[in-house]
Amino acid sequence: MTNKRTAIHVKPREGRRARAGAPWLFSNEIDMTAKTLAPGAVVNVVGDDGRVFGTGTFNAKSLIAVRLLDPAADIVLDAEFFAKKLKRALALRETLYAAPYYRLVNAEGDGLPGLTIDRFADTCVVQITTAGMEALLEPLLAALDETLQPENVVLRADAPARSLEGLELYVRAAKGNAGRIAVEENGVRYFADLEAGQKTGWYYDQRDNRAFLASLTRGKSVLDAYCYTGGFALAAAHAGAKDVAGLDSSTPALGLAQEAAAANNLTCKFVKADVFEELERLWAARESFDVVVADPPPFVKSKKDLEPGAKAYRKLARLAASVTAPGGFLLVASCSHNIPLERFLSECAAGILRAGRSARLIRQSGAAGDHPTHPMLPESAYLKALVYTLD
Ligand code: SAH
């Protein structure tokens, strides 16, 4: 005999997005009499008309109070459940990539809200951002072991989003050890620090954009602003760029970039600098580059930052365009999901115009295929990358 699972009731005529297939219910859409449930409790979700929304996890502390994991009620979220989801996620990546370096799980996009897993061969970095997923850590890790038998599993439970769910922050190895590893991408060997690096240690999302940008750089000079551990810069150098410089404010990231340059026998100059200040200086000195990349940290961290953040993107596009040579290429990226694509496009256009340049937009893209999005959550496709050629 099992105990009957708590049912969460969707209010009459509420839950419009969930009725259309989205995996979220907001706290104002449901009957919150269940708010005494432990954060992350597994629940059934039903409508007033008896309609079943499915099995989900509940957290009264979060605005997104329910996250659905399955369209049927009473689904047991055990290791078997997770193994099925992980195998489905793995099958997609094995189709996309020849080598075992990719984002293995992209949260709602892979049917697992609150969970991302980046795979670096036999090491997995697990990032959990919801109380629901945190409470399911044990069956999840058992399923990961069964599916991939990784040697090392690192828990990066230090994303700021965890505080919205009332979760503590920590970083630890659940298996083996964490630390520095090599990443292979587009024929280049990079290094990442999985414990102390940003996010999971490596940005797989830019993989296809790095490859495209690199294809434009043979024999060219390249400036990679916000280079982190050398993602774009080394891809360009590997593709035959003749003069490559990277800028970043993080000393450890620049150290890994430099080491990766040496490991690949490539020559790149990595400089510690504030990008806005350095671009102003280069502009004043009338220096320019054939190809410029500007891939900054998120300028719009929350909805209320939209106006100042949008202005910062405009300024960045202006300064980056100012140091792009005539006939050159400029890539500007945003990883803020709080700025819509249309707005980002118009700010970049305004910045380039303000620099006195005319441009053609030649490519508009997002994250690579290992970052699937739930079709009903288009806003979770946070990454936008625009490539222009400038006269
Ligand atoms: N392009 C990189 C990812 C960039 S992430 C890649 O392909 O992997 C954003 C980077 O901006 C981080 O490395 C961070 O250290 C750096 N950063 C943040 N603020 C900065 C500033 N004011 N000046 C220079 N770098 C900055």
Side-chain angles (χ1 to χ4, degrees):
M1 276 295 285
T2 51
N3 287 334
K4 207 166 163 290
R5 188 176 276 174
T6 305
I8 295 282
H9 293 271
V10 180
K11 290 182 189 163
R13 292 179 303 282
E14 293 282 2
R16 191 179 50 82
R17 287 184 87 185
R19 285 176 206 276
W24 290 349
L25 284 146
F26 293 92
S27 52
N28 62 325
E29 296 177 324
I30 57 177
D31 172 7
M32 290 294 278
T33 49
K35 59 178 171 285
T36 50
L37 280 178
V42 178
V43 294
N44 287 334
V45 185
V46 293
D48 58 308
D49 51 358
R51 180 200 155 137
V52 173
F53 285 77
T55 297
T57 58
F58 175 77
N59 185 359
K61 290 200 179 104
S62 172
L63 211 56
I64 304 171
V66 173
R67 300 185 188 251
L68 294 167
L69 284 91
D70 197 282
D74 287 318
I75 295 296
V76 180
L77 303 178
D78 55 6
E80 201 183 321
F81 169 86
F82 280 106
K84 228 163 138 187
K85 295 272 190 193
L86 291 179
K87 281 176 189 141
R88 174 173 174 265
L90 182 62
L92 171 63
R93 278 66 179 184
E94 286 183 334
T95 305
L96 291 169
Y97 307 115
Y101 295 90
Y102 37 69
R103 173 148 295 187
L104 173 66
V105 172
N106 195 43
E108 280 84 352
D110 284 297
L112 293 168
L115 177 67
T116 63
I117 303 179
D118 279 355
R119 179 180 187 192
F120 304 88
D122 48 18
T123 298
C124 288
V125 181
V126 175
Q127 201 173 35
I128 290 178
T129 54
T130 62
M133 199 51 76
E134 185 85 8
L136 295 165
L137 187 58
E138 212 181 290
L140 162 68
L141 291 179
L144 188 58
D145 252 346
E146 182 202 318
T147 313
L148 284 183
Q149 296 92 40
E151 268 175 39
N152 310 296
V153 177
V154 184
L155 302 180
R156 283 293 300 259
D158 56 348
R162 285 175 64 93
S163 55
L164 301 175
E165 294 263 333
L167 292 170
E168 51 162 348
L169 307 185
Y170 62 90
V171 176
R172 69 177 170 89
K175 187 179 181 189
N177 48 56
R180 218 188 73 153
I181 48 96
V183 191
E184 279 171 37
E185 186 186 288
N186 300 319
V188 181
R189 187 177 162 84
Y190 297 94
F191 296 114
D193 184 337
L194 305 184
E195 209 166 3
Q198 296 170 26
K199 301 283 179 77
T200 63
W202 177 249
Y203 293 102
Y204 277 127
D205 53 358
Q206 292 283 23
R207 175 201 309 253
D208 294 356
N209 301 325
R210 292 186 189 114
F212 177 77
L213 185 100
S215 75
L216 306 170
T217 59
R218 169 167 289 279
K220 307 271 179 68
S221 61
V222 177
L223 178 68
D224 180 5
Y226 306 98
C227 64
Y228 189 46
T229 51
F232 283 97
L234 295 170
H238 177 73
K242 74 168 162 39
D243 226 329
V244 181
L247 305 173
D248 204 278
S249 57
S250 159
T251 305
L254 291 167
L256 291 175
Q258 201 64 66
E259 281 182 55
N264 291 281
N265 263 324
L266 298 169
T267 312
C268 291
K269 194 171 75 183
F270 291 105
V271 179
K272 185 176 162 106
D274 173 79
V275 164
F276 280 98
E277 282 175 15
E278 185 61 10
L279 290 178
E280 299 259 19
R281 193 190 68 75
L282 290 166
W283 179 44
R286 302 209 186 299
E287 287 200 43
S288 66
F289 303 81
D290 299 320
V291 178
V292 175
V293 175
D295 177 24
F299 289 158
V300 186
K301 287 220 175 70
S302 65
K303 284 212 171 82
K304 68 172 175 26
D305 300 331
L306 179 60
E307 291 312 317
K311 238 171 120 180
Y313 283 119
R314 186 190 312 184
K315 182 175 176 189
L316 180 62
R318 172 173 64 78
L319 289 171
S322 303
V323 301
T324 305
F329 294 96
L330 169 62
L331 181 153
V332 191
S334 162
C335 58
S336 306
H337 70 253
N338 285 306
I339 185 165
L341 173 65
E342 298 308 314
R343 183 73 193 268
F344 183 57
L345 277 161
S346 70
E347 296 301 338
C348 288
I352 292 169
L353 188 72
R354 192 77 62 85
R357 305 296 292 275
S358 60
R360 284 169 285 171
L361 177 63
I362 62 165
R363 189 171 187 261
Q364 197 177 304
S365 65
D370 53 352
H371 289 61
T373 48
H374 189 291
M376 285 303 294
L377 298 176
E379 72 273 32
S380 61
Y382 59 92
L383 186 68
K384 304 148 192 91
L386 310 177
V387 183
Y388 300 89
T389 179
L390 268 54
D391 297 316

